[in-house]
Amino acid sequence: MGSAASLLVCNARLVDGTGADPVTPAGLLVEGDRIAWVGAMAAAPAIGPETRVLDAAGRTLMPGLIEAHLHLSYRDVRELPDLDLKCPVEETTIRAVAHARLCLESGYTAAVSAGALHRVDVAMRNAIREGIIPGPRLLAAGRDICSTGGMLDWNGSWLKLGMEGLGIFADGVDECRKAARSVIKEGADIVKVYVTGEGMIFECTAEEVTYTEEEIRVVCEEAHRRGRRVSAHSRGAEGCKISVRAGVDIIDHGTLIDSECVELFAERGVFVVPALNYQIAVLERGPEFGFPREFLDQTLYREELDAAYRNMRRLVDAGVRVLPGGDYGFAWCPHGEYARDLQTFVENIGLTPMQTLVAATKWGSELMRMENEIGTLEAGKLADLLLVDGDPLQDIRILQDRARLSLVMQGGRAVSGPLARELGG
Ligand SMILES: [Zn+2]
């Protein structure tokens, strides 16, 4: 891993993540782990002989991407036991280490977890922070909190199995409060609560609500008292309403919302991460994984996706921050395809490439409460950045091509890409 005490990147096309028009030719000066200067080349500061110079040769210079719905500990999930019974902690941890590296190599210098097995996220966050393993700066989740009979309670009661890795089952305000405290005790930054089901689990569908507002409220009280975020898995409108009224910060999915939700989300400033690529991939690749057509129809994913595209657009138009993040780790949407979500934001939701890049950088840093440190390229912030061969404003899909990520830098260290090797990475 190379680290340059002082490095001037010159002759780049700057897309700084604020939504401002691109600047060409632009440059950026890294000193230590931070950005000392960024702007038009004409205004570049004088540099001494100790500063290395990297000619970007017209490549796009942009902030590192932020994935907003990451499951580092999921891999090749095809059926429910792959999320639970077949996931001993040792194997799961080793897989998470590989995914963290892949995340960074895919241009994602930070990520928000949407749920983890065991304490894997917390261990990963700490190991990445300490420089023991490469990976994104991570907002770690703990085990999911779910009600008896809720979406995750899929193991038959007669089997007497329990669920040590994926979830904690809690009912009533006292148990919910204790579950939230347990997740915090284990070191998580985010407490995730399951409020509705989902289309592939026919016993607990997308519109079914499995918690009361009071139960969600105590989870939020405990988390917020300790400065943690709360995310709610919620697809249907009713589940979204009670979650947001109860105080959650992040709605994961939110696909089937109504006009009342749009107003409520805007008023409360919640973040929405629809995680659409999971559903898109089920429909596109489901047959390869043995899902019969009738099964795919029964999930109602096609209808849900069409609604979600319209609803996400309505949310953005109402000023709600909707973030890319695609639930990768299932067999049909493997880790490494993270930037596919950006294409969905442009092609299906109808955001401009610039809006999409802001959502994938600046808004992610706001969700992480790291907006003073990362998310945009501004003097004083950490040097988390990409040099991309091509212009993602012309074609957002190029961000899916790792060969075009010439340089991934995190905290001033060149961590991936051919230019990183040139810089001694
Ligand atoms: Zn997820």
Side-chain angles (χ1 to χ4, degrees):
M1 299 287 166
S3 86
S6 183
L7 174 75
L8 179 70
V9 180
C10 58
N11 296 325
R13 177 192 304 105
L14 173 67
V15 178
D16 67 8
T18 66
D21 288 339
V23 177
T24 311
L28 181 144
L29 180 65
V30 181
E31 270 172 13
D33 61 351
R34 294 196 180 255
I35 300 167
W37 167 83
V38 59
M41 279 311 294
I47 52 164
E50 73 290 353
T51 300
R52 295 183 69 177
V53 177
L54 177 67
D55 186 353
R59 292 182 181 87
T60 301
L61 171 64
M62 58 174 281
L65 294 163
I66 300 178
E67 161 73 22
H69 188 116
L70 182 68
H71 296 291
L72 274 182
S73 52
Y74 295 8
R75 183 184 182 90
D76 202 24
V77 174
R78 289 159 196 255
E79 52 177 8
L80 297 176
D82 295 334
L83 278 167
D84 161 32
L85 298 175
K86 294 198 235 160
C87 297
V89 66
E90 297 84 354
E91 279 82 345
T92 301
T93 306
I94 291 167
R95 290 166 170 192
V97 170
H99 298 151
R101 176 192 289 274
L102 184 54
C103 214
L104 205 52
E105 289 170 353
S106 305
Y108 285 77
T109 51
V112 179
S113 177
L117 302 167
H118 305 279
R119 285 183 69 256
V120 171
D121 264 9
V122 170
M124 293 293 298
R125 176 199 63 202
N126 296 347
I128 292 165
R129 194 181 276 166
E130 291 163 27
I132 298 170
I133 55 168
R137 302 176 195 281
L138 185 66
L139 210 63
R143 290 162 70 197
D144 300 323
I145 299 176
C146 184
S147 66
T148 298
M151 179 180 142
L152 306 183
D153 196 10
W154 49 59
N155 292 326
S157 49
W158 62 92
L159 298 170
K160 298 187 168 44
L161 286 170
M163 192 176 275
E164 296 302 311
L166 181 65
I168 300 173
F169 295 105
D171 300 289
V173 291
D174 290 342
E175 284 183 20
C176 286
R177 196 183 292 281
K178 184 164 186 179
R181 287 176 176 171
S182 310
V183 170
I184 293 167
K185 171 187 160 72
E186 298 301 343
D189 306 302
I190 298 187
V191 181
K192 178 154 182 180
V193 53
Y194 273 72
V195 176
T196 72
E198 82 108 56
M200 210 190 263
I201 299 179
F202 302 136
E203 299 77 23
C204 187
T205 63
E207 304 271 10
E208 283 179 56
V209 178
T210 57
Y211 265 134
T212 64
E213 192 173 324
E214 290 68 34
E215 290 170 307
I216 307 165
R217 182 168 293 117
V218 294
V219 171
C220 295
E221 270 175 24
E222 292 306 315
H224 291 160
R225 202 199 314 280
R226 308 281 299 275
R228 269 65 167 190
R229 292 285 204 190
V230 180
S231 65
H233 167 102
S234 180
R235 292 183 177 274
E238 185 56 28
C240 290
K241 274 176 226 176
I242 64 167
S243 298
V244 173
R245 286 196 201 111
V248 309
D249 307 288
I250 304 153
I251 292 287
D252 280 323
H253 308 299
T255 41
L256 298 170
I257 55 169
D258 59 15
S259 314
E260 205 185 327
C261 289
V262 175
E263 271 177 48
L264 186 63
F265 289 12
E267 183 191 304
R268 300 291 178 96
V270 298
F271 296 86
V272 177
V273 189
L276 300 175
N277 263 74
Y278 159 81
Q279 286 177 297
I280 292 171
V282 167
L283 292 175
E284 281 179 2
R285 300 172 179 165
E288 291 168 43
F289 294 93
F291 295 139
R293 179 57 50 199
E294 314 81 71
F295 173 88
L296 294 177
D297 289 345
Q298 217 183 336
T299 64
L300 300 177
Y301 275 4
R302 173 57 57 205
E303 292 81 350
E304 188 176 347
L305 271 173
D306 288 342
Y309 296 150
R310 288 193 304 276
N311 287 333
M312 295 309 132
R313 182 60 198 253
R314 289 164 77 195
L315 285 171
V316 172
D317 289 344
V320 176
R321 288 164 290 187
V322 177
L323 280 61
D327 235 338
Y328 297 91
F330 293 82
W332 39 88
C333 53
H335 280 276
E337 293 189 356
Y338 315 110
R340 175 66 175 77
D341 265 66
L342 277 57
Q343 184 184 344
T344 301
F345 269 50
V346 173
E347 290 181 1
N348 301 101
I349 301 177
L351 301 196
T352 64
M354 184 63 96
Q355 284 176 308
T356 300
L357 290 183
V358 170
T361 56
K362 181 174 189 281
W363 291 354
S365 73
E366 291 165 359
L367 196 168
M368 296 181 78
R369 293 200 179 104
M370 289 189 74
E371 65 271 23
N372 295 325
E373 295 281 50
I374 58 172
T376 59
L377 298 182
E378 293 175 90
K381 287 193 172 182
L382 291 165
D384 283 12
L385 55 86
L386 310 180
L387 268 181
V388 183
D389 189 4
D391 184 359
L393 295 176
Q394 296 298 319
D395 183 0
I396 198 78
R397 295 172 304 175
I398 66 173
L399 291 169
Q400 296 170 52
D401 182 359
R402 282 198 286 279
R404 301 182 79 149
L405 300 178
S406 305
L407 177 67
V408 180
M409 179 175 278
Q410 187 188 43
R413 300 172 72 227
V415 292
S416 178
L419 291 178
R421 287 186 281 280
E422 217 166 279
L423 289 167

